[in-house]
Amino acid sequence: MDQTATISTAQFGATDEPGQQPAIALNRGRSRHAADRRLRLAGLAAVGLALWFLVLLFSSLVVTGYSAFTQVTVRIEADLSSLAGKREQEIRDANWRAILRDALRGLAPDLPKRDERAFFALFTPSAHYLLRDAVLADPSMLRDGATFHIPLADTADRFAKGEIERSLPEDQRRLTDVQISHLDRLETAGRLERSFNTGLFLNSDSRFPELAGLKGAIVGSFWLLAVCFALSFPIGVAAAVWLEEFAPRSRFATLVEININNLAAVPSVVFGLLGLAVLLGWFGLPRSTPLAGGIVLALMTMPTIIIVSRAALKQVPAAIMEGALALGATKHQAILHHKLPLAMPSILTGAIIGLAQALGETAPLLLIGMNAFIAGDPGGLLDPATALPTQIYIWADSPERGFLARTAAAILVLIGFLVLMNGLAVFLRQRLAKRW
Amino acid sequence: MTSRPFRPWQKLATAGMVAASVIAVLTTLGIVAALAGEAIAFFRMVPLTEFLFGTRWEPQIAMRADQVAGQGSFGVLPVLYGTLVISLIAMAVAVPVGLFSAIYLTQYASPRTRAAVKPSLEILAGIPTVVYGFFAVLAVAPVIRDLGEALGIPSSPNSALAAGVVMGIMIVPFVSSMSDDALAAVPQALRDASLALGATRAETVWQVLLPAALPGIAGGVLLALSRAIGETMIVVMAAGLIAKVTPNPFDAVTTVTVQIVTLLTGDSAFDNPKTLAAFALGLLLFLITLGLNLIALHMVRRRRETY
């Protein structure tokens, strides 16, 4: 406030009293320009702060998450010759836990009985299912010396990646000295391999960080967006065409318009309440499903699509409509055959940006229960599912240390999808959109 | 070519378009009906006055049926207090940063800088809120806690300050683009006249542009505030669960949206006051944000009419 005051006296001083001595005028000019520089600096600082924060956000996500894109596995050989020629059901029911343990004992031949538990704890607890599933998928493995790659358990994995300090006292790290010596031996024997973590994309959620992946969430998000697009796009475009081209100046049209503007500003969690009470409560849609979630997201995206569609329709020159009408087309034909196709690239651009927003939306999905633990991937619209943002929320809430890196990695994947969608929108706008 | 005078598909198409427009209205009606319906059921169990003026919010305790009434466990004031504190912290970050960014970008920056910086700022608006929530917990909250402890202030790991600051950064592009629009809407003649009289750019900004753009900027700030009040994921992840009235921003407070989510995640039945309380909170949130939006839109519109 007082800055304003000094500036105004300075200004009036400069204009009202032209007869001032030059030295004073010079001084005033100097302080006025200092004020100008201060404002410029304040602006630069503000922009710098915002951009610095952006960089900080991304760098902390990358630093936290990059290690989850790789996974350390141990190579083991198992003797499966006894299962050769058995029927599938027998193979399925075989004692895989024993087979796995025999194979693991092979890695440490002189292992005392009392150390076995600690040794087995280095590997993911559901490794025997991995063996079984690999064999069921490829029966030619039924021989002696079949090779498998078993992920290390979370703590061992982080140690092998160098994220746990060896120098810490034994009671402050989650690995004992014995376990570390086992890992070192496996390392020198060349049995540990650090490779790209395909499980992050091919597995669904798991209680064990080393096995948890995003497949279920990605599939769930895909179904959500499919429902969202299938509903919001036709409805949004139709409403936009009516409002832009047909709506008489009536109370109803004004009501619709006010509604759309307000809906665009309603907090997302309120849409979640709507979904919970109306879709799940009154209409009885199943909880946690992409159908219910997609409808909620569609209702949230619709105002965006209506607004961008109207703007796109407005941009089409009146000459196009007039030309079509002059040649005898009806209003419907002129819009459907000429105006709408010309506006379509801009509408699609807006729709993709709307869908990108819907992809990141979390709160309404929490309220309709899409944050449940689901180990498989959803097969359709009516299967319980999670979505990428809710999966991030679940992992962020998990106490296991390994989920920290996974959460950041999942965020990077989500941001990757958002970048792709926005890139597509920019591409559409630049390539297809007409400039009039 | 003969034109047919009557085309049934056109009538059908028009009817379809009207129906599509009706859906927008139905959505609002659905929101109001759902919120009001469940909230009325809630107010049958807990008196409205107690909800609005009660000073204790302990919904978990009220799970036991015999404690529903008369305990004062559903007083919304401490929850509103927390919402207000976090929103005000967010605005204290977002308004100066957003406004000064807009001033810099419209008045000082070269067109090339502007073309590079503006989209970068908008990236902040495109990042999902769950990402901000994770970032607040991961990177901001520990720093703020250490800061609080270094200052000798009792600090909580999920402080109001951490949630508020991160939320503020999220809102920056919103404030900055609204201010940008408002500044750009001031007629060029006013700006030129001021500069031609010898005013510096800063003087033009403070005495010509800002007063003229004020209604638009204020409208944008109100819209941003409404967004801060309705923001959910950042506070769900980074703010507290217990409703507490404390002047210490390093302490944890809770918000309306946090309570809605915590009351409704997990198993919920529609017949207990705990679940229904979430809808009462939702109705309150809807009314507050609606009110702010209407005022803000009115202000923005009035600015347009001035010139």
Side-chain angles (χ1 to χ4, degrees), chain A residues 93-409:
Chain A
D93 294 341
N95 190 352
W96 286 102
R97 195 180 289 269
I99 294 173
L100 172 77
R101 294 202 160 170
D102 285 341
L104 290 179
R105 281 188 194 103
L107 298 178
D110 49 351
L111 187 71
K113 200 81 183 155
R114 61 190 156 79
D115 282 355
E116 271 194 345
R117 256 180 87 92
F119 179 64
F120 292 149
L122 293 174
F123 312 100
T124 182
S126 42
H128 49 288
Y129 296 122
L130 300 180
L131 261 59
R132 184 195 66 190
D133 294 344
V135 168
L136 287 174
D138 178 14
S140 73
M141 292 181 114
L142 289 174
R143 58 190 157 75
D144 193 7
T147 312
F148 299 91
H149 293 270
I150 299 299
L152 292 188
D154 172 41
T155 319
D157 177 57
R158 284 191 297 122
F159 178 81
K161 288 172 182 167
E163 289 170 31
I164 297 179
E165 284 294 328
R166 188 183 290 268
S167 55
L168 280 177
E170 189 173 7
D171 55 351
Q172 281 181 31
R173 50 175 146 75
R174 311 251 309 267
L175 287 174
T176 62
D177 289 338
V178 177
Q179 286 178 313
I180 286 181
S181 69
H182 282 307
L183 281 176
D184 287 342
R185 210 149 37 108
L186 290 174
E187 177 76 64
T188 43
R191 292 210 167 250
L192 296 187
E193 285 168 27
R194 185 173 180 175
S195 53
F196 183 69
N197 185 2
T198 49
L200 186 64
F201 299 93
L202 299 180
N203 293 351
S204 286
D205 198 10
S206 166
R207 296 279 182 219
F208 307 112
E210 65 274 12
L211 293 180
L214 291 170
K215 186 181 170 201
I218 292 173
V219 174
S221 272
F222 170 79
W223 287 122
L224 276 174
L225 288 193
V227 173
C228 175
F229 182 78
L231 289 176
S232 65
F233 188 75
I235 295 176
V237 173
V241 170
W242 186 75
L243 284 171
E244 201 55 37
E245 307 289 340
F246 292 95
R249 286 199 174 176
S250 61
R251 274 224 178 122
F252 177 69
T254 323
L255 180 74
V256 173
E257 213 153 314
I258 294 173
N259 248 297
I260 290 162
N261 286 334
N262 271 323
L263 276 182
V266 169
S268 62
V269 69
V270 171
F271 280 95
L273 289 171
L274 170 77
L276 180 61
V278 175
L279 298 180
L280 304 191
W282 300 354
F283 295 150
L285 289 184
R287 206 176 150 81
S288 306
T289 54
L291 181 65
I295 294 176
V296 172
L297 292 183
L299 294 178
M300 296 180 63
T301 314
M302 209 170 54
T304 315
I305 293 190
I306 294 178
I307 291 167
V308 297
S309 303
R310 293 187 66 180
L313 287 169
K314 271 201 185 87
Q315 276 178 359
V316 178
I320 304 275
M321 270 296 272
E322 284 160 7
L325 292 175
L327 289 173
T330 64
K331 196 172 177 186
H332 283 81
Q333 287 170 331
I335 292 167
L336 191 65
H337 298 162
H338 301 282
K339 197 164 186 179
L340 203 52
L342 287 169
M344 203 39 92
S346 304
I347 296 178
L348 277 178
T349 305
I352 293 170
I353 290 171
L355 283 184
Q357 275 169 13
L359 176 61
E361 206 53 72
T362 321
L365 301 184
L366 292 185
L367 294 196
I368 57 167
M370 295 194 72
N371 58 334
F373 173 77
I374 292 156
D377 49 298
L381 294 180
L382 292 173
D383 281 357
T386 58
L388 269 174
T390 49
Q391 191 69 60
I392 289 167
Y393 176 68
I394 299 169
W395 284 358
D397 245 15
S398 304
E400 290 89 352
R401 280 285 297 175
F403 276 119
L404 188 69
R406 301 252 157 185
T407 310

